Coordinates of all heavy atoms in Angstrom, one line a residue:
T6 N 31.2 25.1 35.1 CA 31.0 23.7 34.6 C 30.4 23.7 33.2 O 29.4 24.3 33.0 CB 30.2 22.9 35.5 OG1 30.7 23.0 36.8 CG2 30.1 21.4 35.1
P7 N 31.1 23.1 32.3 CA 30.5 23.0 30.9 C 29.1 22.4 30.9 O 28.7 21.6 31.8 CB 31.5 22.2 30.1 CG 32.7 22.2 30.9 CD 32.4 22.4 32.3
L8 N 28.3 22.9 29.9 CA 26.9 22.4 29.8 C 26.8 20.9 29.7 O 26.0 20.3 30.4 CB 26.2 23.1 28.6 CG 24.8 22.7 28.3 CD1 23.9 23.0 29.5 CD2 24.2 23.4 27.1
L9 N 27.6 20.3 28.8 CA 27.5 18.9 28.6 C 27.9 18.1 29.9 O 27.4 17.0 30.2 CB 28.4 18.4 27.5 CG 27.9 18.8 26.1 CD1 29.0 18.4 25.0 CD2 26.6 18.3 25.8
D10 N 28.8 18.7 30.7 CA 29.2 18.0 32.0 C 28.0 18.1 32.9 O 27.8 17.2 33.7 CB 30.4 18.7 32.6 CG 31.7 18.3 31.8 OD1 31.6 17.4 31.0 OD2 32.7 19.0 31.9
R11 N 27.4 19.3 33.0 CA 26.2 19.4 33.9 C 25.1 18.4 33.5 O 24.4 17.8 34.3 CB 25.7 20.8 33.9 CG 26.6 21.8 34.5 CD 25.9 23.1 34.9 NE 25.2 23.7 33.9 CZ 25.7 24.6 33.0 NH1 26.9 25.0 33.2 NH2 24.9 25.2 32.1
I12 N 24.9 18.2 32.2 CA 23.9 17.3 31.7 C 24.3 15.9 32.1 O 23.5 15.1 32.5 CB 23.7 17.4 30.2 CG1 23.1 18.8 29.8 CG2 22.9 16.3 29.6 CD1 23.0 19.0 28.3
G13 N 25.6 15.6 32.0 CA 26.1 14.2 32.2 C 26.0 13.9 33.7 O 25.9 12.7 34.0
T14 N 26.1 14.8 34.6 CA 26.1 14.5 36.0 C 24.7 14.6 36.6 O 24.5 14.1 37.7 CB 27.1 15.5 36.8 OG1 26.7 16.9 36.5 CG2 28.5 15.3 36.3
S15 N 23.8 15.2 36.0 CA 22.4 15.3 36.5 C 21.6 14.1 36.0 O 21.4 13.9 34.8 CB 21.7 16.6 36.1 OG 20.4 16.6 36.5
V16 N 21.1 13.3 36.9 CA 20.4 12.1 36.5 C 19.1 12.4 35.8 O 18.8 11.9 34.7 CB 20.0 11.2 37.8 CG1 19.1 10.1 37.4 CG2 21.3 10.7 38.4
F17 N 18.3 13.4 36.3 CA 17.1 13.7 35.7 C 17.3 14.3 34.3 O 16.6 14.0 33.3 CB 16.3 14.7 36.6 CG 15.0 15.1 36.0 CD1 13.9 14.3 36.0 CD2 14.9 16.4 35.4 CE1 12.7 14.7 35.4 CE2 13.7 16.8 34.8 CZ 12.6 16.0 34.9
T18 N 18.3 15.2 34.2 CA 18.6 15.9 32.9 C 19.1 14.8 31.9 O 18.7 14.9 30.7 CB 19.6 17.0 33.1 OG1 19.2 17.9 34.1 CG2 19.8 17.7 31.8
K19 N 19.9 13.9 32.4 CA 20.4 12.9 31.4 C 19.2 12.0 30.9 O 19.2 11.6 29.7 CB 21.4 12.1 32.1 CG 22.2 11.2 31.1 CD 23.5 10.7 31.6 CE 24.3 10.0 30.5 NZ 25.7 9.7 30.9
L20 N 18.3 11.6 31.8 CA 17.2 10.8 31.4 C 16.3 11.5 30.3 O 15.9 10.9 29.3 CB 16.3 10.5 32.6 CG 16.8 9.4 33.5 CD1 15.9 9.3 34.7 CD2 16.9 8.1 32.8
I21 N 16.1 12.9 30.5 CA 15.4 13.6 29.5 C 16.2 13.7 28.2 O 15.6 13.5 27.1 CB 15.1 15.1 30.0 CG1 14.2 15.0 31.2 CG2 14.5 15.9 28.9 CD1 12.9 14.5 31.0
T22 N 17.5 13.8 28.3 CA 18.3 13.9 27.1 C 18.3 12.5 26.3 O 18.2 12.4 25.1 CB 19.7 14.2 27.4 OG1 19.7 15.4 28.2 CG2 20.5 14.5 26.1
I23 N 18.3 11.4 27.1 CA 18.2 10.1 26.5 C 16.9 9.9 25.8 O 16.8 9.3 24.7 CB 18.5 9.0 27.6 CG1 19.9 9.0 28.1 CG2 18.1 7.6 27.0 CD1 20.2 8.1 29.2
L24 N 15.8 10.4 26.4 CA 14.5 10.3 25.8 C 14.5 11.1 24.5 O 13.9 10.6 23.5 CB 13.5 10.9 26.7 CG 12.0 10.9 26.2 CD1 11.6 9.5 25.9 CD2 11.1 11.5 27.2
I25 N 15.2 12.2 24.4 CA 15.2 13.0 23.2 C 16.0 12.2 22.1 O 15.7 12.2 20.9 CB 15.9 14.4 23.5 CG1 15.0 15.2 24.3 CG2 16.2 15.1 22.1 CD1 15.6 16.5 24.8
F359 N 22.0 2.7 30.9 CA 21.9 3.8 31.9 C 22.2 3.1 33.3 O 22.9 3.7 34.1 CB 20.5 4.4 31.9 CG 20.3 5.5 33.0 CD1 21.0 6.7 32.9 CD2 19.5 5.2 34.1 CE1 20.8 7.7 33.8 CE2 19.4 6.2 35.0 CZ 20.0 7.4 34.9
E362 N 25.7 2.3 33.7 CA 26.5 3.6 34.1 C 26.4 3.9 35.5 O 27.4 4.3 36.2 CB 25.9 4.7 33.2 CG 26.6 6.0 33.4 CD 26.0 7.1 32.5 OE1 25.2 6.8 31.7 OE2 26.5 8.3 32.7
I363 N 25.2 3.8 36.1 CA 24.9 4.1 37.5 C 25.6 3.1 38.4 O 26.3 3.5 39.4 CB 23.4 4.1 37.8 CG1 22.7 5.3 37.0 CG2 23.2 4.3 39.3 CD1 23.2 6.6 37.4
Q367 N 30.5 4.6 36.0 CA 31.3 4.9 34.9 C 30.5 5.7 33.9 O 29.5 5.2 33.3 CB 31.8 3.6 34.2 CG 32.5 3.8 32.9 CD 33.9 4.5 33.1 OE1 34.7 4.0 33.9 NE2 34.1 5.5 32.3
R368 N 30.9 7.0 33.7 CA 30.1 7.8 32.9 C 30.2 7.4 31.4 O 31.2 7.1 30.9 CB 30.6 9.3 33.0 CG 30.1 10.0 34.3 CD 30.7 11.4 34.4 NE 30.2 12.1 33.2 CZ 30.6 13.4 33.0 NH1 31.5 13.9 33.7 NH2 30.1 14.0 31.9
I369 N 29.0 7.5 30.7 CA 28.9 7.2 29.3 C 28.4 8.4 28.6 O 27.3 8.9 29.0 CB 28.0 6.0 29.0 CG1 28.6 4.7 29.7 CG2 27.9 5.7 27.5 CD1 27.7 3.5 29.6
H370 N 29.1 8.9 27.7 CA 28.8 10.2 27.0 C 27.5 10.0 26.2 O 27.3 9.0 25.6 CB 30.0 10.7 26.2 CG 29.9 12.2 25.9 ND1 29.2 12.7 24.9 CD2 30.5 13.2 26.6 CE1 29.3 14.1 24.9 NE2 30.1 14.4 26.0
L371 N 26.8 11.1 26.0 CA 25.6 11.1 25.2 C 25.9 10.7 23.7 O 25.1 10.1 23.0 CB 24.9 12.4 25.2 CG 24.3 12.8 26.6 CD1 23.7 14.2 26.6 CD2 23.2 11.8 27.0
Y374 N 26.0 7.1 23.6 CA 24.6 6.6 23.5 C 24.1 6.6 22.1 O 23.4 5.7 21.6 CB 23.7 7.5 24.4 CG 23.6 7.0 25.9 CD1 24.5 7.5 26.8 CD2 22.6 6.1 26.3 CE1 24.4 7.2 28.1 CE2 22.5 5.7 27.6 CZ 23.4 6.3 28.5 OH 23.3 5.9 29.9
I472 N 19.5 1.4 44.3 CA 20.4 2.5 44.0 C 19.9 3.7 44.8 O 18.7 4.0 44.9 CB 20.3 2.8 42.5 CG1 20.8 1.6 41.7 CG2 21.1 4.1 42.2 CD1 20.6 1.8 40.2
N473 N 20.8 4.4 45.4 CA 20.5 5.7 46.2 C 20.6 6.8 45.2 O 21.6 7.4 44.9 CB 21.5 5.9 47.3 CG 21.2 7.1 48.1 OD1 20.1 7.7 48.0 ND2 22.1 7.4 49.1
W474 N 19.4 7.2 44.6 CA 19.4 8.2 43.6 C 19.7 9.6 44.1 O 20.2 10.4 43.4 CB 18.0 8.2 42.9 CG 17.6 6.9 42.2 CD1 16.9 5.9 42.8 CD2 18.1 6.4 41.0 NE1 16.8 4.8 41.9 CE2 17.6 5.1 40.8 CE3 18.9 7.0 39.9 CZ2 17.8 4.4 39.6 CZ3 19.1 6.3 38.8 CH2 18.5 5.0 38.6
Y475 N 19.4 9.8 45.4 CA 19.6 11.2 45.9 C 21.1 11.6 46.0 O 21.4 12.7 46.0 CB 19.0 11.3 47.3 CG 17.5 11.1 47.3 CD1 16.9 9.9 47.7 CD2 16.7 12.1 46.8 CE1 15.5 9.7 47.6 CE2 15.3 12.0 46.8 CZ 14.7 10.8 47.2 OH 13.4 10.6 47.1
Q476 N 22.0 10.6 46.1 CA 23.4 10.9 46.2 C 23.9 11.6 44.9 O 24.8 12.4 44.9 CB 24.2 9.6 46.4 CG 24.2 8.6 45.3 CD 25.0 7.4 45.5 OE1 26.1 7.5 46.2 NE2 24.6 6.3 45.0
Y477 N 23.2 11.3 43.7 CA 23.6 11.9 42.5 C 23.1 13.3 42.4 O 23.8 14.2 41.9 CB 23.1 11.1 41.3 CG 23.7 9.7 41.3 CD1 22.9 8.6 41.8 CD2 24.9 9.4 40.8 CE1 23.5 7.3 41.8 CE2 25.5 8.1 40.8 CZ 24.7 7.1 41.3 OH 25.2 5.8 41.3
D478 N 22.0 13.6 43.0 CA 21.5 15.0 43.0 C 22.3 15.8 43.9 O 22.5 17.0 43.6 CB 20.0 15.0 43.5 CG 19.1 14.3 42.5 OD1 19.4 14.3 41.3 OD2 18.0 13.9 42.9
K479 N 22.8 15.3 45.1 CA 23.7 16.1 45.9 C 25.0 16.4 45.3 O 25.5 17.5 45.4 CB 23.9 15.3 47.2 CG 22.7 15.1 48.1 CD 23.0 14.2 49.3 CE 21.7 14.0 50.2 NZ 22.0 13.2 51.3
K480 N 25.5 15.4 44.5 CA 26.8 15.7 43.8 C 26.5 16.8 42.7 O 27.4 17.6 42.5 CB 27.3 14.4 43.1 CG 27.8 13.4 44.2 CD 28.3 12.2 43.4 CE 28.8 11.2 44.4 NZ 29.4 10.0 43.8

Side-chain angles (χ1 to χ4, degrees):
T6 306
L8 176 61
L9 289 178
D10 287 343
R11 294 202 303 271
I12 292 176
T14 55
S15 173
V16 173
F17 179 76
T18 306
K19 190 160 191 177
L20 285 175
I21 296 298
T22 309
I23 291 174
L24 178 60
I25 294 174
F359 178 74
E362 180 180 356
I363 295 298
Q367 174 68 51
R368 287 180 55 189
I369 300 177
H370 202 275
L371 293 175
Y374 272 90
I472 300 173
N473 184 8
W474 299 97
Y475 295 104
Q476 64 177 330
Y477 300 99
D478 291 336
K479 292 177 182 179
K480 289 181 181 181

